[in-house]
Amino acid sequence: MTALSVPSVPADLALARLREATPLVQCITNSVVTGFTANVLLAVGAAPAMVDLPEEAGIFAGIAGGLLVNLGTPTPQQRDAARAAVVATDRWVLDPVAIGTLPVRTALAAELLQSRPAIVRGNASEIIALAGLGSGGRGVDSTAGAEEALEAATSIARSAGAVVAVSGEVDVITDGTETVRVPGGDRLLTLVTGGGCSLGATMAAFLAVCDPLSAAVAASVAHAVAAEHAARTSSGPGTFAVDFLDALAALDPSDLRDREAHLQGVS
Amino acid sequence: MTALSVPSVPADLALARLREATPLVQCITNSVVTGFTANVLLAVGAAPAMVDLPEEAGIFAGIAGGLLVNLGTPTPQQRDAARAAVVATDRWVLDPVAIGTLPVRTALAAELLQSRPAIVRGNASEIIALAGLGSGGRGVDSTAGAEEALEAATSIARSAGAVVAVSGEVDVITDGTETVRVPGGDRLLTLVTGGGCSLGATMAAFLAVCDPLSAAVAASVAHAVAAEHAARTSSGPGTFAVDFLDALAALDPSDLRDREAHLQGVS
Amino acid sequence: MTALSVPSVPADLALARLREATPLVQCITNSVVTGFTANVLLAVGAAPAMVDLPEEAGIFAGIAGGLLVNLGTPTPQQRDAARAAVVATDRWVLDPVAIGTLPVRTALAAELLQSRPAIVRGNASEIIALAGLGSGGRGVDSTAGAEEALEAATSIARSAGAVVAVSGEVDVITDGTETVRVPGGDRLLTLVTGGGCSLGATMAAFLAVCDPLSAAVAASVAHAVAAEHAARTSSGPGTFAVDFLDALAALDPSDLRDREAHLQGVS
């Protein structure tokens, strides 16, 4: 008797599929990280497109392989674009940036959650705030560890039917039943703006080629391994961000296979 | 008897003039590539300014040496800014990003084309869609080769009185009568967001110092040569983007002169 | 008898405090430089957050340690967000980008100046235009040297009760009584988009931990020293921007202490 493996599509296979498919990934994201996010998607093997007009976002979501909705700087147009896009696809990621104290994005995150994202990605403070269990952290800064948000993540996963990924020193990813922990990465990634936001985009890319839990784990593993590679060659946050893109582009599926083995030990 | 040379201002002379003039280049462009585009303009020797408010764009277009209108993320304000700017100058470049399926930008591109851009730059799918001969590609991704868009490019060039530059492995540039092909560059440039968008900006910079055909060719040659230099020193798309800026800034007009000789052989 | 030292908090102590506090810094800034600005703030030791919705900006300004209002691409929403934010905090920096000829930002700068920024930072042309003594330069390009703007800077400092920092080959910083000159830096910083804008953000970060004159000087010294370090390792504007981030992150307070000694000689 063999147990179902968790996740069902291992990260190495997911990456091989992604490279083969080069899926279009639509990003409705904040103005700070657009360029870096697009470069991360290109490096990982996807084709980014930021289509965030209300009149165009729904049309494009129907064509795209995956969609990211990131609430970092949600202009009125982006809010309407997000509403139009999330009803046009099931393959979308919600990143509730800095919700909690700030009213516009907090209300919007609650509203969009009703449209059943495949994945919710955030830091611990954001996930706790989204579950209605806390008031949020300091903007994009999390004041709580990922493990502290496990109860909130599980609650959202069960009520919204989504995979919830909490970013931290160890990423905690749950579908409400199974929980996967992805260790690794590097502290320097927290000194690069868009480190977390681009992870949400990579999850959206993987949604084009596998199920939500597999997609969230594969993206998390890919970013962790690439960050470790970049940390070896860089000498600060500037060179790290650049080398991270090189490392993502150079990732071989086998680099993730070794990490999979480690994952199965901790899940 | 001596034939007129095509283009009339060779790229090396155009670059020398640009460096001397450091023209102001106004960019009404998409939110993904603003930073990279500005850095490309600075590296090539121009002074970028993104002035994209409706109340200011026309005033600034009258002062600037060149103008780029890129339709990547055309907010209502940028659309009005573009309308105000293009009637205030003849030295402008239209980049019809991802037109075809998406209605707002497709209609806007058709409208702006009536105001006679000096240069239209796009990938093959965009140029084919602008000519009304196809439905567009996959967003910024072209699904056709540059050569396949030659008929569409020639048609636009003749009807709109513009130079049309189709980006691809070999760039194809036509004024409707003469066609110039610029080979070279590097595949890594397609893995950097803003690779194509910044080429449109560089064309706008060259418009400040020479005629449209010469400007389009000089920009294309400068980007191709700088990309080749950067490919030699980089180890992936991250370092490539950085080294490309260094290479642009280090370009000597004589680097382009050698390429000119090659061009005349293929034009 | 001991004279008061100018500035009262030396740059090395200010940096040590900043690293200890990791203050939240709110940026209402232009779309070209958001990513680079956020990375500069992370490198220097602060936590950036671009909260620029009218409904959220005032709330966040009350929480943040410092606020930057940069008028580079002031959309109607950002203008309202700025109005809401500047009345919620005293610790804010006004960067009147490209004012003079362009009407929207010029009127807004005059209006916001009434809300008493702690620091005004600009190039000479912008400061002269803000004082009503000239028509502005060429967008972000200054056509005047910093020293030429000293009269204008002193006038604004006295009437608005602000510290005024004029960026140039030598930065000139005055509170209307004392004037500090910060030499150094590197010309390559002028070839990186956001070089000046990010300096305003760093000043906002230092406002969280010291008085305005000390904050402006500490930021100016930190950028100058980091630029000198980056100039040694880089080979053009692309690598310079990257190495500048590494250098900022690697700054030791003692690096600024040596520079303080030099400062006291010229102040």
Side-chain angles (χ1 to χ4, degrees):
Chain A
M1 190 180 115
T2 309
L4 281 171
S5 64
V6 172
S8 60
V9 181
D12 58 337
L13 179 56
L15 180 62
R17 285 188 191 171
L18 176 60
R19 294 272 171 78
E20 176 70 20
T22 62
L24 269 179
V25 179
Q26 179 179 6
C27 298
I28 300 176
T29 191
N30 71 76
S31 59
V32 185
V33 304
T34 46
F36 185 69
T37 299
N39 281 329
V40 163
L41 286 171
L42 287 164
V44 85
M50 181 193 250
V51 177
D52 64 354
L53 292 178
E55 304 90 338
E56 298 186 339
I59 296 169
F60 202 80
I63 302 170
L67 163 70
L68 168 69
V69 176
N70 172 302
L71 306 185
T73 54
T75 62
Q77 278 154 25
Q78 280 200 331
R79 304 198 294 263
D80 286 341
R83 291 179 179 111
V86 300
V87 296
T89 181
D90 293 328
R91 296 184 302 275
W92 69 285
V93 177
L94 174 64
D95 189 336
V97 179
I99 64 163
T101 307
L102 299 172
V104 174
R105 63 193 71 207
T106 304
L108 182 61
E111 175 190 340
L112 293 175
L113 193 59
Q114 305 303 313
S115 295
R116 304 183 77 84
I119 300 173
V120 177
R121 192 214 70 85
N123 63 34
S125 296
E126 291 158 353
I127 297 303
I128 290 168
L130 187 63
L133 301 173
S135 65
R138 305 194 317 154
V140 291
D141 243 28
S142 183
T143 49
E147 209 63 44
E148 296 175 53
L150 181 55
E151 184 192 336
T154 302
S155 159
I156 295 167
R158 290 179 182 169
S159 63
V163 165
V164 180
V166 190
S167 299
E169 218 167 304
V170 173
D171 291 347
V172 175
I173 301 170
T174 186
D175 63 3
T177 306
E178 303 287 351
T179 298
V180 179
R181 290 175 179 78
V182 181
D186 193 273
R187 197 193 63 89
L188 274 172
L189 202 51
T190 66
L191 294 184
V192 175
T193 197
C197 297
S198 66
L199 176 57
T202 300
M203 289 178 180
F206 276 110
L207 278 178
V209 295
C210 56
D211 64 278
L213 185 61
S214 300
V217 172
S220 193
V221 170
H223 276 233
V225 173
E228 290 161 21
H229 291 183
R232 273 176 226 142
T233 56
S234 60
S235 48
T239 43
F240 177 83
V242 170
D243 292 353
F244 178 68
L245 294 173
D246 281 5
L248 273 178
L251 274 185
D252 190 84
S254 65
D255 297 329
L256 308 190
R257 195 178 312 141
D258 302 345
R259 187 58 58 103
E260 278 304 289
H262 183 60
L263 260 186
Q264 288 166 3
V266 294
S267 72
Chain B
M1 191 180 117
T2 310
L4 280 172
S5 64
V6 172
S8 60
V9 182
D12 59 336
L13 178 56
L15 181 61
R17 285 188 191 170
L18 176 60
R19 294 270 171 78
E20 176 70 21
T22 62
L24 269 179
V25 179
Q26 180 179 4
C27 299
I28 300 176
T29 191
N30 70 76
S31 59
V32 185
V33 303
T34 47
F36 185 69
T37 300
N39 281 330
V40 163
L41 286 171
L42 287 164
V44 84
M50 182 194 246
V51 178
D52 63 354
L53 293 177
E55 305 89 337
E56 298 186 342
I59 296 169
F60 203 80
I63 302 170
L67 164 70
L68 169 69
V69 176
N70 172 302
L71 306 185
T73 55
T75 62
Q77 278 155 26
Q78 279 200 332
R79 303 198 295 263
D80 285 341
R83 291 178 179 113
V86 301
V87 296
T89 181
D90 294 327
R91 294 184 302 275
W92 69 286
V93 176
L94 174 64
D95 189 336
V97 179
I99 64 163
T101 307
L102 300 171
V104 174
R105 65 193 70 206
T106 304
L108 182 61
E111 175 190 339
L112 293 175
L113 193 59
Q114 305 302 313
S115 294
R116 304 184 75 84
I119 300 172
V120 176
R121 190 214 72 84
N123 62 34
S125 295
E126 291 157 352
I127 297 302
I128 291 169
L130 187 64
L133 301 173
S135 65
R138 304 195 317 155
V140 292
D141 244 28
S142 184
T143 48
E147 208 65 42
E148 297 176 53
L150 181 54
E151 184 192 335
T154 303
S155 159
I156 295 167
R158 289 179 183 169
S159 62
V163 165
V164 180
V166 191
S167 299
E169 218 167 303
V170 174
D171 291 347
V172 175
I173 302 170
T174 185
D175 63 3
T177 305
E178 303 286 351
T179 298
V180 179
R181 290 176 178 79
V182 181
D186 193 273
R187 196 192 65 90
L188 275 172
L189 202 50
T190 66
L191 294 183
V192 175
T193 197
C197 297
S198 65
L199 176 57
T202 301
M203 289 179 181
F206 277 110
L207 278 179
V209 296
C210 55
D211 64 279
L213 184 61
S214 300
V217 171
S220 192
V221 169
H223 276 233
V225 173
E228 290 162 21
H229 291 184
R232 273 176 226 142
T233 56
S234 59
S235 48
T239 43
F240 177 82
V242 170
D243 292 354
F244 178 68
L245 294 173
D246 281 5
L248 272 179
L251 273 186
D252 190 84
S254 65
D255 297 329
L256 308 190
R257 195 178 312 142
D258 303 346
R259 187 58 59 102
E260 278 304 290
H262 182 59
L263 259 185
Q264 287 167 4
V266 294
S267 70
Chain C
M1 190 182 116
T2 309
L4 281 171
S5 65
V6 172
S8 59
V9 182
D12 59 337
L13 178 57
L15 180 61
R17 285 188 191 170
L18 176 60
R19 293 270 171 78
E20 177 71 21
T22 62
L24 269 179
V25 179
Q26 180 178 5
C27 297
I28 300 176
T29 191
N30 70 76
S31 59
V32 185
V33 303
T34 47
F36 185 70
T37 300
N39 281 329
V40 163
L41 286 171
L42 287 164
V44 84
M50 182 193 247
V51 178
D52 63 355
L53 293 178
E55 304 90 338
E56 299 186 340
I59 296 169
F60 202 80
I63 303 169
L67 164 69
L68 167 69
V69 177
N70 171 302
L71 306 185
T73 53
T75 62
Q77 277 155 26
Q78 279 200 332
R79 303 197 297 262
D80 285 341
R83 290 179 179 111
V86 300
V87 296
T89 180
D90 293 328
R91 295 184 302 274
W92 69 286
V93 177
L94 174 64
D95 189 335
V97 179
I99 64 163
T101 307
L102 299 172
V104 174
R105 65 193 69 207
T106 304
L108 182 61
E111 176 191 339
L112 293 175
L113 193 59
Q114 305 302 313
S115 294
R116 303 184 77 85
I119 300 173
V120 177
R121 191 214 71 86
N123 63 33
S125 295
E126 291 158 352
I127 297 303
I128 290 168
L130 188 63
L133 301 173
S135 64
R138 303 196 317 156
V140 291
D141 243 29
S142 183
T143 48
E147 208 63 44
E148 296 175 53
L150 181 54
E151 185 191 335
T154 303
S155 159
I156 295 166
R158 290 181 182 168
S159 62
V163 165
V164 180
V166 190
S167 298
E169 217 167 306
V170 174
D171 291 348
V172 175
I173 302 170
T174 185
D175 64 2
T177 305
E178 303 286 351
T179 299
V180 179
R181 290 177 179 79
V182 181
D186 193 274
R187 196 193 64 89
L188 275 173
L189 203 50
T190 66
L191 294 184
V192 176
T193 198
C197 297
S198 65
L199 176 57
T202 301
M203 289 179 180
F206 277 110
L207 279 178
V209 295
C210 56
D211 65 278
L213 185 60
S214 301
V217 171
S220 192
V221 169
H223 276 233
V225 173
E228 290 161 21
H229 291 183
R232 272 177 227 141
T233 56
S234 60
S235 48
T239 43
F240 177 84
V242 170
D243 291 353
F244 178 68
L245 295 172
D246 280 5
L248 272 178
L251 273 186
D252 190 83
S254 66
D255 297 329
L256 308 190
R257 195 178 312 141
D258 302 345
R259 186 58 58 101
E260 279 303 290
H262 182 61
L263 261 185
Q264 288 166 5
V266 294
S267 70

